[in-house]
Amino acid sequence: MNQGNKLLNVEKLNVCYGKLAVVFDVSVNINAGEVVFLVGRNGAGKTTLLRTIAGFLQPASGEIEFNGKNLNKTGAYKTARMGLKYIHQDKQVFGDLTIRENLELSSYATKDYDWDPVFKMFPKLNTIIERKAGNLSGGEKQMLLIAMAMIGKPALVMLDEPTEGLAPHVIKDLAAIFKEISRTTTLFIVEQNLPLIASIADRVYCMKEGKVVNEITTREQISSMHFEQYL
Ligand SMILES: Nc1ncnc2c1ncn2[C@@H]1O[C@H](COP(=O)(O)OP(=O)(O)O)[C@@H](O)[C@H]1O
Ligand SMILES: [Mg+2]
């Protein structure tokens, strides 16, 4: 579903850790309603790019625009409040808190106390709601993180390798969930799982050594996993 309405616009972004430059002149556009993937080998700069867009890192140069507003110096907390959520690669939840308490944190932050949509998406979370998040499986943690991100009805959710370390049947469930989420929410996902990408991608950006080196836009090239060479 490409509505042709630019939601995120990243122009010539450069990001450094101290003196070490790791992202070079990266430009990325995401339209409202799209499911866009980012692929590339370990160390390509994918996480750095997403963390910069989300406001955890300051770019050395370049522009980040979300919903028509400049995000360069916004900071992560405010960026999330503006409707751009980022789910980190390391699947960190508040382990000593229950699922309910983790969800409450998202509700406090966003003033959205309507949990029906997330329980519709993840009925299991509701059945184990008093369980400590630290005791959940990798798949359950990922579902909790997605549920927490969806509270507040964000416009864009960015996920960093959400299927990493998960069992194949859980990955299948997640693919269906991404499809469902994409009916209301734009998705930008770093992913290595080729069949998952091929099944739901509208577009795929390919990163190599800190640069975007290709953008795959045709259904034919996506279905034939044309992006495999960048992994
Ligand atoms: N906190 C950091 N400090 C210094 N260098 C880092 C830091 N995080 C990542 N890097 C380096 O930046 C490069 C890109 O890393 P990263 O964005 O994590 O890539 P990817 O997510 O594609 O695997 C790598 O060379 C990595 O070693
Ligand atoms: Mg990474």
Short mmCIF file of all heavy atoms in Angstrom, two decimals, residues 84-136:
data_model
loop_
_atom_site.label_atom_id
_atom_site.label_comp_id
_atom_site.label_asym_id
_atom_site.label_seq_id
_atom_site.Cartn_x
_atom_site.Cartn_y
_atom_site.Cartn_z
N LEU A 84 7.35 8.33 16.06
CA LEU A 84 8.37 7.52 15.39
C LEU A 84 9.02 6.63 16.45
O LEU A 84 9.76 7.12 17.31
CB LEU A 84 9.42 8.42 14.72
CG LEU A 84 10.31 7.80 13.65
CD1 LEU A 84 11.14 8.87 12.96
CD2 LEU A 84 11.22 6.71 14.16
N LYS A 85 8.72 5.32 16.40
CA LYS A 85 9.22 4.40 17.42
C LYS A 85 10.33 3.53 16.85
O LYS A 85 10.31 3.16 15.67
CB LYS A 85 8.07 3.48 17.89
CG LYS A 85 6.93 4.20 18.59
CD LYS A 85 7.29 4.56 20.01
CE LYS A 85 6.10 5.11 20.77
NZ LYS A 85 5.15 4.11 21.21
N TYR A 86 11.27 3.19 17.71
CA TYR A 86 12.40 2.34 17.31
C TYR A 86 12.50 1.16 18.27
O TYR A 86 12.55 1.37 19.49
CB TYR A 86 13.70 3.16 17.35
CG TYR A 86 14.96 2.37 17.18
CD1 TYR A 86 15.14 1.57 16.05
CD2 TYR A 86 15.98 2.41 18.12
CE1 TYR A 86 16.31 0.84 15.88
CE2 TYR A 86 17.15 1.68 17.95
CZ TYR A 86 17.30 0.90 16.84
OH TYR A 86 18.46 0.17 16.67
N ILE A 87 12.51 -0.04 17.74
CA ILE A 87 12.68 -1.24 18.58
C ILE A 87 14.12 -1.73 18.40
O ILE A 87 14.51 -2.15 17.30
CB ILE A 87 11.67 -2.33 18.21
CG1 ILE A 87 10.24 -1.78 18.37
CG2 ILE A 87 11.88 -3.56 19.10
CD1 ILE A 87 9.15 -2.76 18.03
N HIS A 88 14.88 -1.67 19.48
CA HIS A 88 16.31 -1.97 19.43
C HIS A 88 16.58 -3.42 19.07
O HIS A 88 15.74 -4.30 19.25
CB HIS A 88 16.93 -1.69 20.81
CG HIS A 88 16.92 -0.25 21.18
ND1 HIS A 88 18.05 0.54 21.11
CD2 HIS A 88 15.92 0.56 21.60
CE1 HIS A 88 17.73 1.77 21.48
NE2 HIS A 88 16.45 1.81 21.79
N GLN A 89 17.80 -3.64 18.62
CA GLN A 89 18.23 -4.97 18.19
C GLN A 89 18.30 -5.96 19.35
O GLN A 89 18.11 -7.15 19.18
CB GLN A 89 19.61 -4.84 17.51
CG GLN A 89 20.06 -6.07 16.78
CD GLN A 89 21.25 -5.79 15.87
OE1 GLN A 89 21.74 -4.67 15.78
NE2 GLN A 89 21.71 -6.82 15.18
N ASP A 90 18.59 -5.46 20.57
CA ASP A 90 18.92 -6.39 21.66
C ASP A 90 17.72 -6.91 22.46
O ASP A 90 17.89 -7.59 23.46
CB ASP A 90 19.93 -5.73 22.62
CG ASP A 90 19.42 -4.40 23.15
OD1 ASP A 90 18.19 -4.17 23.07
OD2 ASP A 90 20.23 -3.59 23.63
N LYS A 91 16.50 -6.62 22.00
CA LYS A 91 15.28 -7.14 22.65
C LYS A 91 15.23 -6.86 24.15
O LYS A 91 14.80 -7.69 24.94
CB LYS A 91 15.12 -8.65 22.44
CG LYS A 91 14.98 -9.06 20.99
CD LYS A 91 14.58 -10.52 20.87
CE LYS A 91 14.44 -10.97 19.43
NZ LYS A 91 15.65 -10.79 18.63
N GLN A 92 15.66 -5.68 24.57
CA GLN A 92 15.65 -5.35 26.00
C GLN A 92 14.29 -4.90 26.47
O GLN A 92 13.74 -3.93 25.97
CB GLN A 92 16.68 -4.26 26.27
CG GLN A 92 18.07 -4.84 26.29
CD GLN A 92 18.84 -4.43 27.53
OE1 GLN A 92 18.35 -3.68 28.37
NE2 GLN A 92 20.05 -4.92 27.64
N VAL A 93 13.77 -5.66 27.44
CA VAL A 93 12.54 -5.26 28.13
C VAL A 93 12.93 -4.97 29.58
O VAL A 93 14.07 -5.21 29.97
CB VAL A 93 11.48 -6.37 28.07
CG1 VAL A 93 10.95 -6.54 26.66
CG2 VAL A 93 12.06 -7.70 28.57
N PHE A 94 11.99 -4.45 30.37
CA PHE A 94 12.27 -4.27 31.79
C PHE A 94 12.00 -5.61 32.47
O PHE A 94 10.87 -5.95 32.80
CB PHE A 94 11.43 -3.14 32.36
CG PHE A 94 11.75 -1.81 31.76
CD1 PHE A 94 11.00 -1.30 30.71
CD2 PHE A 94 12.85 -1.08 32.21
CE1 PHE A 94 11.33 -0.08 30.13
CE2 PHE A 94 13.18 0.14 31.63
CZ PHE A 94 12.42 0.64 30.59
N GLY A 95 13.08 -6.39 32.66
CA GLY A 95 12.97 -7.79 33.05
C GLY A 95 12.34 -8.03 34.41
O GLY A 95 11.69 -9.05 34.62
N ASP A 96 12.52 -7.09 35.34
CA ASP A 96 11.96 -7.27 36.67
C ASP A 96 10.49 -6.87 36.74
O ASP A 96 9.83 -7.11 37.73
CB ASP A 96 12.75 -6.44 37.71
CG ASP A 96 14.13 -7.03 37.95
OD1 ASP A 96 14.28 -8.25 37.72
OD2 ASP A 96 15.03 -6.30 38.35
N LEU A 97 10.02 -6.24 35.68
CA LEU A 97 8.61 -5.82 35.65
C LEU A 97 7.79 -6.86 34.89
O LEU A 97 8.30 -7.57 34.03
CB LEU A 97 8.47 -4.46 34.96
CG LEU A 97 9.26 -3.28 35.54
CD1 LEU A 97 8.92 -2.00 34.78
CD2 LEU A 97 8.97 -3.12 37.03
N THR A 98 6.49 -6.91 35.20
CA THR A 98 5.60 -7.82 34.48
C THR A 98 5.27 -7.23 33.10
O THR A 98 5.55 -6.06 32.82
CB THR A 98 4.28 -8.01 35.25
OG1 THR A 98 3.63 -6.73 35.31
CG2 THR A 98 4.51 -8.55 36.65
N ILE A 99 4.64 -8.07 32.29
CA ILE A 99 4.17 -7.60 30.98
C ILE A 99 3.26 -6.40 31.18
O ILE A 99 3.39 -5.37 30.51
CB ILE A 99 3.43 -8.74 30.24
CG1 ILE A 99 4.42 -9.83 29.82
CG2 ILE A 99 2.66 -8.19 29.03
CD1 ILE A 99 3.78 -11.05 29.20
N ARG A 100 2.34 -6.51 32.15
CA ARG A 100 1.40 -5.41 32.41
C ARG A 100 2.16 -4.12 32.74
O ARG A 100 1.86 -3.05 32.19
CB ARG A 100 0.47 -5.76 33.58
CG ARG A 100 -0.56 -4.66 33.87
CD ARG A 100 -1.24 -4.86 35.22
NE ARG A 100 -1.97 -6.12 35.31
CZ ARG A 100 -3.18 -6.32 34.79
NH1 ARG A 100 -3.79 -5.37 34.14
NH2 ARG A 100 -3.77 -7.50 34.92
N GLU A 101 3.16 -4.23 33.59
CA GLU A 101 3.91 -3.03 34.00
C GLU A 101 4.72 -2.44 32.84
O GLU A 101 4.85 -1.22 32.72
CB GLU A 101 4.82 -3.36 35.19
CG GLU A 101 4.03 -3.62 36.47
CD GLU A 101 4.83 -4.33 37.55
OE1 GLU A 101 5.84 -5.01 37.23
OE2 GLU A 101 4.44 -4.21 38.72
N ASN A 102 5.26 -3.32 31.98
CA ASN A 102 5.96 -2.82 30.80
C ASN A 102 5.00 -2.04 29.89
O ASN A 102 5.34 -0.97 29.40
CB ASN A 102 6.59 -3.98 30.02
CG ASN A 102 8.00 -4.34 30.52
OD1 ASN A 102 8.97 -3.72 30.10
ND2 ASN A 102 8.08 -5.31 31.41
N LEU A 103 3.79 -2.60 29.70
CA LEU A 103 2.81 -1.91 28.85
C LEU A 103 2.37 -0.59 29.48
O LEU A 103 2.16 0.41 28.79
CB LEU A 103 1.58 -2.82 28.62
CG LEU A 103 1.84 -4.08 27.78
CD1 LEU A 103 0.61 -4.98 27.78
CD2 LEU A 103 2.22 -3.72 26.34
N GLU A 104 2.27 -0.60 30.83
CA GLU A 104 1.88 0.64 31.53
C GLU A 104 2.88 1.76 31.28
O GLU A 104 2.50 2.92 31.13
CB GLU A 104 1.72 0.38 33.04
CG GLU A 104 0.37 -0.24 33.38
CD GLU A 104 0.27 -0.76 34.81
OE1 GLU A 104 1.29 -0.73 35.53
OE2 GLU A 104 -0.84 -1.20 35.18
N LEU A 105 4.16 1.40 31.22
CA LEU A 105 5.19 2.42 30.96
C LEU A 105 4.92 3.11 29.61
O LEU A 105 5.03 4.33 29.49
CB LEU A 105 6.58 1.79 30.95
CG LEU A 105 7.10 1.31 32.31
CD1 LEU A 105 8.45 0.64 32.13
CD2 LEU A 105 7.20 2.48 33.29
N SER A 106 4.55 2.30 28.60
CA SER A 106 4.24 2.89 27.29
C SER A 106 3.00 3.76 27.37
O SER A 106 2.93 4.81 26.72
CB SER A 106 4.01 1.79 26.25
OG SER A 106 5.21 1.16 25.94
N SER A 107 2.04 3.33 28.16
CA SER A 107 0.80 4.12 28.28
C SER A 107 1.05 5.44 28.99
O SER A 107 0.54 6.48 28.60
CB SER A 107 -0.27 3.31 29.01
OG SER A 107 -0.80 2.32 28.16
N TYR A 108 1.85 5.39 30.07
CA TYR A 108 2.19 6.65 30.76
C TYR A 108 2.87 7.62 29.79
O TYR A 108 2.58 8.81 29.77
CB TYR A 108 3.15 6.41 31.94
CG TYR A 108 2.54 5.65 33.08
CD1 TYR A 108 3.29 4.70 33.77
CD2 TYR A 108 1.23 5.88 33.51
CE1 TYR A 108 2.75 3.99 34.83
CE2 TYR A 108 0.69 5.17 34.56
CZ TYR A 108 1.45 4.22 35.23
OH TYR A 108 0.92 3.51 36.26
N ALA A 109 3.78 7.09 29.00
CA ALA A 109 4.57 7.95 28.11
C ALA A 109 3.72 8.56 27.00
O ALA A 109 3.98 9.66 26.54
CB ALA A 109 5.74 7.17 27.52
N THR A 110 2.69 7.83 26.57
CA THR A 110 1.93 8.27 25.39
C THR A 110 0.51 8.73 25.72
O THR A 110 -0.18 9.26 24.85
CB THR A 110 1.80 7.11 24.37
OG1 THR A 110 1.16 6.01 25.05
CG2 THR A 110 3.15 6.67 23.85
N LYS A 111 0.08 8.48 26.98
CA LYS A 111 -1.31 8.78 27.40
C LYS A 111 -2.32 7.96 26.61
O LYS A 111 -3.48 8.35 26.48
CB LYS A 111 -1.64 10.28 27.25
CG LYS A 111 -0.62 11.21 27.87
CD LYS A 111 -0.78 11.27 29.39
CE LYS A 111 0.31 12.10 30.04
NZ LYS A 111 1.34 11.28 30.73
N ASP A 112 -1.89 6.86 26.05
CA ASP A 112 -2.80 5.97 25.33
C ASP A 112 -3.00 4.72 26.20
O ASP A 112 -2.08 3.91 26.35
CB ASP A 112 -2.19 5.59 23.96
CG ASP A 112 -3.03 4.57 23.21
OD1 ASP A 112 -4.16 4.28 23.64
OD2 ASP A 112 -2.55 4.06 22.17
N TYR A 113 -4.18 4.60 26.77
CA TYR A 113 -4.45 3.49 27.69
C TYR A 113 -5.32 2.41 27.05
O TYR A 113 -5.81 1.52 27.73
CB TYR A 113 -5.10 4.01 28.98
CG TYR A 113 -4.15 4.90 29.76
CD1 TYR A 113 -4.08 6.26 29.52
CD2 TYR A 113 -3.28 4.35 30.71
CE1 TYR A 113 -3.18 7.07 30.21
CE2 TYR A 113 -2.38 5.14 31.39
CZ TYR A 113 -2.34 6.50 31.15
OH TYR A 113 -1.44 7.30 31.83
N ASP A 114 -5.47 2.49 25.74
CA ASP A 114 -6.29 1.51 25.03
C ASP A 114 -5.39 0.34 24.58
O ASP A 114 -4.64 0.46 23.62
CB ASP A 114 -6.94 2.19 23.81
CG ASP A 114 -7.73 1.21 22.98
OD1 ASP A 114 -8.01 0.09 23.47
OD2 ASP A 114 -8.08 1.55 21.83
N TRP A 115 -5.51 -0.78 25.31
CA TRP A 115 -4.67 -1.94 25.00
C TRP A 115 -5.38 -2.95 24.10
O TRP A 115 -4.80 -3.97 23.73
CB TRP A 115 -4.23 -2.64 26.29
CG TRP A 115 -3.28 -1.82 27.12
CD1 TRP A 115 -2.81 -0.57 26.84
CD2 TRP A 115 -2.69 -2.19 28.38
NE1 TRP A 115 -1.97 -0.14 27.83
CE2 TRP A 115 -1.89 -1.11 28.80
CE3 TRP A 115 -2.77 -3.32 29.19
CZ2 TRP A 115 -1.15 -1.13 30.00
CZ3 TRP A 115 -2.05 -3.35 30.38
CH2 TRP A 115 -1.25 -2.26 30.77
N ASP A 116 -6.64 -2.70 23.77
CA ASP A 116 -7.40 -3.67 22.95
C ASP A 116 -6.69 -4.01 21.63
O ASP A 116 -6.58 -5.19 21.27
CB ASP A 116 -8.82 -3.16 22.66
CG ASP A 116 -9.68 -3.23 23.91
OD1 ASP A 116 -9.26 -3.90 24.89
OD2 ASP A 116 -10.77 -2.63 23.92
N PRO A 117 -6.20 -2.98 20.90
CA PRO A 117 -5.56 -3.32 19.62
C PRO A 117 -4.34 -4.23 19.77
O PRO A 117 -4.14 -5.15 18.98
CB PRO A 117 -5.14 -1.94 19.06
CG PRO A 117 -6.00 -0.95 19.76
CD PRO A 117 -6.30 -1.53 21.11
N VAL A 118 -3.54 -4.01 20.84
CA VAL A 118 -2.35 -4.86 20.97
C VAL A 118 -2.72 -6.26 21.45
O VAL A 118 -2.10 -7.24 21.06
CB VAL A 118 -1.25 -4.23 21.86
CG1 VAL A 118 -0.76 -2.94 21.28
CG2 VAL A 118 -1.65 -4.06 23.28
N PHE A 119 -3.76 -6.37 22.26
CA PHE A 119 -4.17 -7.71 22.69
C PHE A 119 -4.84 -8.47 21.56
O PHE A 119 -4.81 -9.70 21.52
CB PHE A 119 -5.10 -7.64 23.90
CG PHE A 119 -4.38 -7.27 25.17
CD1 PHE A 119 -5.01 -6.57 26.18
CD2 PHE A 119 -3.06 -7.64 25.36
CE1 PHE A 119 -4.34 -6.22 27.34
CE2 PHE A 119 -2.37 -7.30 26.51
CZ PHE A 119 -3.01 -6.59 27.51
N LYS A 120 -5.45 -7.73 20.63
CA LYS A 120 -6.03 -8.36 19.45
C LYS A 120 -4.90 -8.95 18.60
O LYS A 120 -5.01 -10.03 18.03
CB LYS A 120 -6.81 -7.32 18.65
CG LYS A 120 -8.11 -7.86 18.12
CD LYS A 120 -8.97 -6.74 17.58
CE LYS A 120 -9.77 -7.22 16.40
NZ LYS A 120 -10.32 -6.11 15.64
N MET A 121 -3.79 -8.21 18.54
CA MET A 121 -2.64 -8.65 17.76
C MET A 121 -1.89 -9.77 18.47
O MET A 121 -1.41 -10.71 17.85
CB MET A 121 -1.72 -7.45 17.55
CG MET A 121 -1.01 -7.43 16.24
SD MET A 121 0.01 -5.95 16.09
CE MET A 121 -1.14 -4.63 16.37
N PHE A 122 -1.77 -9.66 19.79
CA PHE A 122 -1.00 -10.62 20.59
C PHE A 122 -1.84 -11.14 21.76
O PHE A 122 -1.59 -10.78 22.92
CB PHE A 122 0.26 -9.96 21.17
CG PHE A 122 1.16 -9.32 20.15
CD1 PHE A 122 1.28 -7.94 20.09
CD2 PHE A 122 1.88 -10.10 19.25
CE1 PHE A 122 2.12 -7.35 19.16
CE2 PHE A 122 2.71 -9.50 18.31
CZ PHE A 122 2.84 -8.13 18.27
N PRO A 123 -2.84 -12.00 21.47
CA PRO A 123 -3.71 -12.49 22.55
C PRO A 123 -2.92 -13.19 23.66
O PRO A 123 -3.28 -13.12 24.83
CB PRO A 123 -4.65 -13.47 21.84
CG PRO A 123 -4.26 -13.50 20.41
CD PRO A 123 -3.19 -12.50 20.15
N LYS A 124 -1.81 -13.82 23.28
CA LYS A 124 -1.01 -14.54 24.27
C LYS A 124 -0.51 -13.60 25.39
O LYS A 124 -0.48 -13.98 26.56
CB LYS A 124 0.17 -15.20 23.56
CG LYS A 124 1.22 -15.78 24.50
CD LYS A 124 1.48 -17.25 24.24
CE LYS A 124 2.25 -17.90 25.38
NZ LYS A 124 3.58 -18.31 24.95
N LEU A 125 -0.12 -12.38 25.02
CA LEU A 125 0.40 -11.44 26.04
C LEU A 125 -0.63 -11.21 27.13
O LEU A 125 -0.29 -11.06 28.31
CB LEU A 125 0.77 -10.10 25.40
CG LEU A 125 2.02 -10.05 24.53
CD1 LEU A 125 2.26 -8.63 24.05
CD2 LEU A 125 3.25 -10.56 25.29
N ASN A 126 -1.89 -11.18 26.75
CA ASN A 126 -2.95 -10.95 27.72
C ASN A 126 -3.09 -12.13 28.67
O ASN A 126 -3.36 -11.95 29.86
CB ASN A 126 -4.27 -10.71 26.98
CG ASN A 126 -5.27 -9.96 27.83
OD1 ASN A 126 -4.96 -9.56 28.96
ND2 ASN A 126 -6.47 -9.77 27.30
N THR A 127 -2.86 -13.35 28.17
CA THR A 127 -3.04 -14.53 29.02
C THR A 127 -1.88 -14.70 30.00
O THR A 127 -2.04 -15.38 31.00
CB THR A 127 -3.19 -15.82 28.17
OG1 THR A 127 -1.95 -16.04 27.49
CG2 THR A 127 -4.30 -15.71 27.16
N ILE A 128 -0.74 -14.09 29.72
CA ILE A 128 0.41 -14.23 30.63
C ILE A 128 0.84 -12.86 31.17
O ILE A 128 2.01 -12.63 31.48
CB ILE A 128 1.60 -14.93 29.93
CG1 ILE A 128 2.02 -14.19 28.65
CG2 ILE A 128 1.27 -16.38 29.63
CD1 ILE A 128 3.32 -14.72 28.02
N ILE A 129 -0.15 -11.99 31.35
CA ILE A 129 0.13 -10.57 31.60
C ILE A 129 0.86 -10.29 32.92
O ILE A 129 1.57 -9.31 33.06
CB ILE A 129 -1.17 -9.73 31.47
CG1 ILE A 129 -0.85 -8.25 31.39
CG2 ILE A 129 -2.14 -10.04 32.60
CD1 ILE A 129 -1.96 -7.42 30.82
N GLU A 130 0.72 -11.20 33.90
CA GLU A 130 1.40 -10.97 35.18
C GLU A 130 2.81 -11.59 35.21
O GLU A 130 3.49 -11.56 36.22
CB GLU A 130 0.57 -11.50 36.35
CG GLU A 130 -0.85 -10.93 36.45
CD GLU A 130 -0.93 -9.41 36.50
OE1 GLU A 130 0.09 -8.75 36.83
OE2 GLU A 130 -2.01 -8.86 36.19
N ARG A 131 3.23 -12.17 34.12
CA ARG A 131 4.55 -12.80 34.09
C ARG A 131 5.66 -11.75 33.99
O ARG A 131 5.49 -10.74 33.30
CB ARG A 131 4.62 -13.76 32.89
CG ARG A 131 5.70 -14.81 33.05
CD ARG A 131 5.65 -15.83 31.94
NE ARG A 131 4.52 -16.76 32.05
CZ ARG A 131 4.25 -17.72 31.16
NH1 ARG A 131 5.03 -17.87 30.09
NH2 ARG A 131 3.22 -18.51 31.31
N LYS A 132 6.77 -12.00 34.67
CA LYS A 132 7.91 -11.08 34.58
C LYS A 132 8.49 -11.12 33.16
O LYS A 132 8.74 -12.19 32.60
CB LYS A 132 9.00 -11.52 35.56
CG LYS A 132 8.65 -11.21 37.01
CD LYS A 132 9.67 -10.25 37.62
CE LYS A 132 9.12 -9.61 38.88
NZ LYS A 132 9.52 -10.32 40.08
N ALA A 133 8.73 -9.95 32.60
CA ALA A 133 9.19 -9.87 31.22
C ALA A 133 10.55 -10.55 31.05
O ALA A 133 10.87 -11.08 29.98
CB ALA A 133 9.27 -8.42 30.77
N GLY A 134 11.36 -10.57 32.13
CA GLY A 134 12.66 -11.21 32.05
C GLY A 134 12.58 -12.71 31.82
O GLY A 134 13.55 -13.33 31.37
N ASN A 135 11.42 -13.31 32.13
CA ASN A 135 11.29 -14.76 31.97
C ASN A 135 10.67 -15.17 30.63
O ASN A 135 10.43 -16.35 30.39
CB ASN A 135 10.41 -15.34 33.09
CG ASN A 135 11.06 -15.14 34.45
OD1 ASN A 135 12.28 -15.05 34.54
ND2 ASN A 135 10.26 -15.06 35.49
N LEU A 136 10.41 -14.21 29.76
CA LEU A 136 9.76 -14.53 28.48
C LEU A 136 10.77 -15.12 27.50
O LEU A 136 11.97 -14.85 27.59
CB LEU A 136 9.14 -13.27 27.88
CG LEU A 136 8.09 -12.56 28.73
CD1 LEU A 136 7.61 -11.30 28.02
CD2 LEU A 136 6.92 -13.47 29.05
#
